[in-house]
Amino acid sequence: MQNRWSALVDKAAQVATTSSNKLADIVTKQTHRFTLTGLSRSGKSMLFTSILTMLKSRNDEGYVCLPLLRTLPPEDIIFTRIEPLEGFKPFPLTLSLEALANQAWPAPTDEAYGFKLIIRVQETHSVKRKLLPHTDVIFEFVDYPGEWLTDLPMLSKSYAQWSDTAWAQLSSGPQQYYAEEWKAFVNRFDFEAAPTRERIGELVECYTRYLKVAKSNGISMLQPGSFLLDTSEFDRFEHGFAPLPSSITSDISHPWFEVFNAHYQKFGKDWLSPIKEDVFKETEKQIILVDLFEGLNHSRQHLYQLKETLSHLADAFVYGKQSWFAKRLGKSPKIGKVAFVATKSDLLPAGEHDNLLALLEQITEGARAKFADKPIAFEHFLVSAIKVTDEGSAPQALRYQDKDLGYVEATFESVPTRLKDMESDAHFPVLNVAVPKDFKARILAGRGLDRLFQYLLTNEEQSDGKY
Amino acid sequence: MANTNNSDTNTVESVPEPTYRAKIVQQPLDIAPPEQALPERIEPEQWQPPVKKSRLSVGLATLGLALTTVIGFMLFDAITTLASNAAQYPIITTFLGIMLTCVVGGLSYLSAREYLGYRRVNSALLDSSDIQLLEQQSKAGESLDVAQVAHVIDRHGTHFSADSYAAFCYQRYLLHIHVDMTGNERLALYHDNVTQKVQKKAREVLNQEAVTAGSMAFISPNNLLQTAAILWVSFRTIRKVAQVYGLKPSASGNWKLMGVLAQNIAAQGIVDLATDEIMSQVSGSLSAKFVENAAEAVAAGALNVRLGKALMKLLK
Ligand SMILES: Nc1nc2c(ncn2[C@@H]2O[C@H](COP(=O)(O)OP(=O)(O)OP(=O)(O)O)[C@@H](O)[C@H]2O)c(=O)[nH]1
Ligand SMILES: [Mg+2]
């Protein structure tokens, strides 16, 4: 549909060069590229694992699954197949499933993986079926470490700008509690002495330590996120940098400024730019995953910070000045689609889902404001890639297998629908869930993926109603 | 210029991280976690219209009788041509008379039974305008109340007669429903899994019946038998299509259908006249008779489709 015309022209050319007995082999191709944006631990890899498992079970084994994915009804699907995506390592689906089978969560992603999901659909319209018997619906997905995402806004900032914001950030909000050691270290540090390799290394190590501690305490706005991955190809020991107090960054001839500025440029040019090119290709369809539980687990401040992070991301990457949208404006009448998705919704009793959705809408406010005057349609979704919880004895309760405590019933107070309604001294500790043995049934019991993909797959003209 | 000490780092305040009150109470349970059941599986479709054995045999017998009668008439024709005086052969005349009576009687019996069968559950017709209204609202972008949609759908679903295709589809629809689905989503699923599937099946059945109607017209040796056969096939079509829908037409619908039926029979009569006229101008040979019957068969099939379409419109 997207490229109906060009597809038809291609088709005509194909038909012209194909003998009639091969006519049945001709396939119309319909490619959908989604950019899946999600901070670290937001559930990207689980989502891929789940959608692949669901489609396969639905198609090959006939399980009732993804009922709301109405554009791809199971009776019209001839097969589903996974193929590697050129230029990427294949997505480690079997590793993820093996991990789950061993009752462990899949390991955090530390590099980029890509895959193509090909769904061959048979044409239902009888006249078209004679001519173009089937269509391949192709999804292209790229999975990557969420830490990379946080770094993208750095591309549009100079070192001095970045350093000043980062410094201001770590002195405020919930992260200030974890930045004390780093600040004390900088305070003691002798910036008069020349920036030797060892001294740079020391400084960068201390800063990285702060990043790690802050991350484990639920802070989302951490730059450079790439420093958190020990597997990164960018050598932070050789070319690392850290934010410096403004007394240094305001003096461009300061040797420390010069060194860090050079490293920062290198980081942008040799590391971030290629990632942005390869992994975050521009697409009209964006899925933005948000893990609200990380914020709820800590405090209201963390949620505010998450909101800010999303807004920065929208600014710099999704709808910034050089974004796909700005480039295409005027060229195409198409409407961009953005799906904001709160993941892991199974971690909350069903009765609280409406509240969670309302909270999500609040968290994305800042990001949405960035495209308020642009032809971009958006919608909010709740998704659970796997349902690890069972119903509890009361509507506000649910049960789950705790890693330490065994089978546990957790009773929830109501989740606030507005950030300001959340008490500043309260939190919703995240459930320490073990992977259950019956993980396949629980993946198939996951909810919301069908709604999400149905939304992204339907075109405005053909969508029937607001489902 | 190169100042080592900076004001920013001097202001390292030691704010202790606040402690938070947990808004979740957790309590270990003394029971084993339940196993999550895999979802239901959809087997390949295998709904068959319920048929009773005896019915089939009467039908077959009638068919056999009809064929015998064709041959009988041909024989009779031959014999009467040979024998100039028909009164000389009272036995054969009587035999053929009985055969004819049997066929006509059999067909009348079948028609009457189909007719009665379809009158019986007359009152069960549910007006589906409420579903259509909801669908329109949903198309217009309104978000529908889950309870209302569930109620309307449930009322329809539970009214389908038990062995109908619609009831089968409704059972499948139920497998797809989760508590967290909105009214619009439920309605869309109902449309995909019930309304659309049932329409498709009804068209299939109708096509089959058109073939039957055509064949009946084709093998009928004279207009009396043809009309009787078409009457029977028509009733059968109505019954079979209604079986797919799991509903029976209402009394007012009945009259409309009867109207279409009468028109069909009349139209078939006109086709007969026309073909007779053409055929008389060609020749009286057996092949001409064949062509004539073929033309009537096509017409009968087409007219039957017309009847079925009228019915589908009523039931929709
Ligand atoms: N209960 C529940 N937990 C989930 C779900 N999806 C993910 N999780 C949890 O969230 C963790 C992170 O999920 P991943 O899919 O690995 O996250 P990611 O976005 O790929 O993270 P990175 O690879 O580090 O960027 C998992 O280890 C699970 O513990 C879900 O649907 N339900
Ligand atoms: Mg991952």
Side-chain angles (χ1 to χ4, degrees):
Chain A
M1 273 136 261
Q2 211 177 355
N3 300 313
R4 245 323 182 218
W5 270 112
S6 60
L8 274 178
V9 173
D10 284 356
K11 199 68 32 226
Q14 252 178 306
V15 171
T17 54
T18 318
S19 58
S20 60
N21 61 336
K22 278 198 184 157
L23 216 60
D25 298 335
I26 300 175
V27 171
T28 321
K29 286 207 165 67
Q30 205 188 95
T31 306
H32 299 269
R33 248 197 102 120
F34 299 108
T35 309
L36 193 104
T37 313
L39 294 168
S40 160
R41 312 315 288 143
S42 58
K44 298 180 293 296
S45 304
M46 260 318 287
L47 189 136
F48 289 139
T49 307
S50 181
I51 188 79
L52 291 177
T53 308
M54 283 179 170
L55 280 170
K56 207 166 151 46
S57 304
R58 175 168 104 137
N59 201 48
D60 300 352
E61 295 160 307
Y63 286 116
V64 175
C65 216
L66 304 168
L68 295 174
L69 190 53
R70 296 169 60 215
T71 40
L72 297 172
E75 61 268 24
D76 291 349
I77 294 181
I78 304 168
F79 62 74
T80 52
R81 205 171 58 212
I82 302 170
E83 277 184 11
L85 191 63
E86 298 80 31
F88 288 95
K89 290 195 180 177
F91 178 71
L93 177 66
T94 27
L95 278 185
S96 292
L97 290 173
E98 265 168 30
L100 290 171
N102 292 323
Q103 284 171 268
W105 291 104
T109 314
D110 52 18
E111 56 185 315
Y113 299 101
F115 66 93
K116 252 198 260 190
L117 177 64
I118 301 174
I119 304 181
R120 181 158 293 183
V121 190
Q122 120 198 353
E123 180 59 67
T124 41
H125 191 279
S126 55
V127 179
K128 278 191 213 150
R129 183 153 65 202
K130 301 269 167 3
L131 270 174
L132 314 167
H134 33 238
T135 304
D136 274 358
V137 181
I138 304 169
F139 298 83
E140 294 181 9
F141 289 108
V142 177
D143 192 20
Y144 57 88
E147 286 85 353
W148 293 357
L149 177 64
T150 0
D151 294 349
L152 289 176
M154 295 169 75
L155 274 174
S156 54
K157 284 187 186 144
S158 70
Y159 170 66
Q161 283 171 328
W162 172 76
S163 169
D164 289 350
T165 346
W167 193 268
Q169 243 156 14
L170 60 82
S171 314
S172 68
Q175 56 274 40
Q176 61 185 301
Y177 311 120
Y178 318 114
E180 276 159 34
E181 189 203 325
W182 158 246
K183 281 178 153 182
F185 186 84
V186 169
N187 219 8
R188 287 194 309 271
F189 199 80
D190 179 11
F191 287 99
E192 280 302 304
T196 59
R197 197 165 171 272
E198 284 70 35
R199 303 198 68 227
I200 293 174
E202 259 177 72
L203 204 62
V204 172
E205 256 336 88
C206 185
Y207 181 62
T208 308
R209 243 188 339 267
Y210 152 70
L211 292 177
K212 285 188 172 160
V213 171
K215 180 173 183 209
S216 66
N217 282 288
I219 303 298
S220 49
M221 196 64 216
L222 293 174
Q223 286 172 336
S226 305
F227 285 11
L228 286 161
L229 296 167
D230 291 323
T231 50
S232 276
E233 274 163 39
F234 183 80
D235 186 355
R236 67 166 194 270
F237 302 103
E238 198 63 45
H239 308 290
F241 55 89
L244 294 177
S246 60
S247 50
I248 297 174
T249 54
S250 56
D251 172 10
I252 54 168
S253 64
H254 196 291
W256 281 92
F257 176 86
E258 280 177 353
V259 156
F260 277 8
N261 189 32
H263 286 181
Y264 183 88
Q265 301 302 336
K266 188 175 169 55
F267 178 77
K269 195 163 124 291
D270 295 352
W271 173 249
L272 273 188
S273 293
I275 287 183
K276 187 179 177 190
E277 285 290 290
D278 299 341
V279 178
F280 301 100
K281 276 214 190 111
E282 296 162 350
T283 60
E284 263 129 15
K285 289 167 187 181
Q286 301 263 352
I287 305 173
I288 299 178
L289 297 190
V290 184
D291 174 15
L292 292 173
F293 292 95
E294 187 68 37
L296 287 168
N297 179 33
H298 289 93
S299 70
R300 182 175 74 176
Q301 276 194 310
H302 282 74
L303 286 170
Y304 273 118
Q305 200 220 20
L306 179 62
K307 184 172 177 177
E308 188 190 334
T309 308
L310 284 178
S311 164
H312 285 313
L313 284 175
D315 206 14
F317 157 56
V318 190
Y319 308 103
K321 283 194 200 72
Q322 279 103 40
S323 79
W324 59 269
F325 179 75
K327 280 185 208 152
R328 288 179 193 200
L329 184 68
K331 278 191 208 160
S332 149
K334 238 172 274 162
I335 292 186
K337 271 192 179 177
V338 178
F340 292 102
V341 179
T343 52
K344 315 181 191 178
S345 64
D346 58 310
L347 294 179
L348 212 56
E352 290 294 313
H353 282 178
D354 287 345
N355 291 356
L356 191 69
L357 197 62
L359 191 62
L360 174 69
E361 284 171 15
Q362 251 237 305
I363 296 278
T364 63
E365 238 172 19
R368 281 186 282 126
K370 300 276 163 65
F371 54 77
D373 52 348
K374 297 171 183 166
I376 293 171
F378 60 85
E379 194 112 11
H380 293 83
F381 297 87
L382 297 186
V383 154
S384 56
I386 178 169
K387 177 181 157 283
V388 291
T389 56
D390 304 311
E391 263 176 33
S393 57
Q396 284 297 95
L398 48 76
R399 294 172 175 183
Y400 71 98
Q401 187 81 35
D402 190 277
K403 276 191 190 131
D404 311 313
L405 306 173
Y407 199 49
V408 169
E409 172 151 319
T411 310
F412 287 69
E413 286 178 34
S414 212
V415 168
T417 52
R418 318 230 6 122
L419 279 170
K420 66 172 168 33
D421 297 341
M422 180 152 168
E423 300 113 279
S424 58
D425 61 344
H427 75 145
F428 290 85
V430 78
L431 307 182
N432 184 21
V433 189
V435 179
K437 277 203 193 71
D438 45 356
F439 72 95
K440 179 173 170 187
R442 289 188 176 274
I443 284 181
L444 299 188
R447 292 286 178 266
L449 286 173
D450 47 356
R451 204 177 270 144
L452 171 65
F453 282 99
Q454 174 69 17
Y455 169 71
L456 292 170
L457 282 179
T458 41
N459 295 333
E460 291 334 291
E461 327 87 68
Q462 69 177 48
S463 88
D464 36 0
K466 185 172 172 274
Y467 297 132
Chain B
M1 196 150 152
N3 55 334
T4 33
N5 232 350
N6 41 77
S7 50
D8 303 41
T9 45
N10 280 338
T11 56
V12 175
E13 331 112 63
S14 309
V15 200
E17 188 176 1
T19 48
Y20 301 102
R21 181 179 67 84
K23 298 198 26 142
I24 306 178
V25 184
Q26 308 217 36
Q27 187 169 29
L29 297 168
D30 233 5
I31 51 169
E35 186 145 328
Q36 173 77 36
L38 282 160
E40 296 290 336
R41 286 167 92 144
I42 298 270
E43 306 296 340
E45 243 175 56
Q46 41 190 225
W47 179 83
Q48 289 295 335
V51 223
K52 290 189 194 93
K53 261 223 165 116
S54 68
R55 239 173 227 210
L56 204 76
S57 59
V58 178
L60 274 178
T62 314
L63 211 66
L65 283 173
L67 276 170
T68 328
T69 319
V70 176
I71 296 159
F73 265 95
M74 282 160 73
L75 269 177
F76 181 72
D77 267 355
I79 291 162
T80 40
T81 325
L82 281 176
S84 47
N85 198 341
Q88 285 179 315
Y89 304 96
I91 299 164
I92 290 169
T93 325
T94 316
F95 174 71
L96 286 177
I98 291 170
M99 289 295 282
L100 184 60
T101 319
C102 285
V103 177
V104 173
L107 281 171
S108 315
Y109 169 72
L110 284 174
S111 302
R113 212 190 37 192
E114 297 292 357
Y115 177 72
L116 287 177
Y118 117 92
R119 291 270 349 191
R120 226 185 6 246
V121 216
N122 244 343
S123 53
L125 179 85
L126 257 180
D127 169 24
S128 63
S129 58
D130 48 358
I131 287 211
Q132 280 161 13
L133 184 74
L134 287 176
E135 278 180 353
Q136 272 165 18
Q137 288 174 343
S138 166
K139 274 222 175 73
E142 282 175 49
S143 61
L144 306 168
D145 178 45
V146 188
Q148 191 201 352
V149 172
H151 175 73
V152 169
I153 289 179
D154 184 61
R155 198 156 57 87
H156 279 262
T158 47
H159 268 88
F160 297 135
S161 54
D163 49 10
S164 66
Y165 182 67
F168 171 83
C169 289
Y170 179 67
Q171 288 310 317
R172 277 208 172 166
Y173 156 82
L174 290 179
L175 294 182
H176 288 95
I177 293 302
H178 310 312
V179 278
D180 67 343
M181 285 179 180
T182 66
N184 302 51
E185 286 168 348
R186 280 165 199 252
L187 200 64
L189 282 180
Y190 186 82
H191 179 82
D192 288 0
N193 286 291
V194 184
T195 318
Q196 229 169 33
K197 292 250 164 82
V198 166
Q199 293 274 62
K200 194 168 158 230
K201 189 71 165 190
R203 270 196 295 274
E204 272 170 37
V205 167
L206 194 56
N207 287 346
Q208 274 170 14
E209 288 302 291
V211 173
T212 315
S215 339
M216 292 304 288
F218 186 71
I219 58 165
S220 296
N222 64 28
N223 288 346
L224 171 67
L225 287 187
Q226 204 174 50
T227 309
I230 284 176
L231 200 64
W232 171 58
V233 176
S234 299
F235 278 125
R236 209 177 76 142
T237 307
I238 295 177
R239 181 175 58 85
K240 286 209 163 169
V241 172
Q243 222 165 39
V244 168
Y245 280 91
L247 300 167
K248 303 288 173 171
S250 66
S252 67
N254 270 340
W255 287 114
K256 275 188 210 153
L257 279 183
M258 286 301 146
V260 178
L261 189 60
Q263 283 167 23
N264 273 359
I265 288 166
Q268 184 70 38
I270 294 167
V271 173
D272 289 349
L273 276 179
T275 42
D276 277 353
E277 185 54 36
I278 295 164
M279 286 314 135
S280 67
Q281 294 188 8
V282 181
S283 73
S285 72
L286 193 66
S287 67
K289 182 73 184 160
F290 183 87
V291 174
E292 180 189 334
N293 272 6
E296 286 171 6
V298 171
L303 288 169
N304 202 45
V305 168
R306 182 164 162 260
L307 175 72
K309 288 245 164 95
L311 175 66
M312 281 167 68
K313 215 163 135 192
L314 275 179
L315 290 178
K316 202 173 141 187

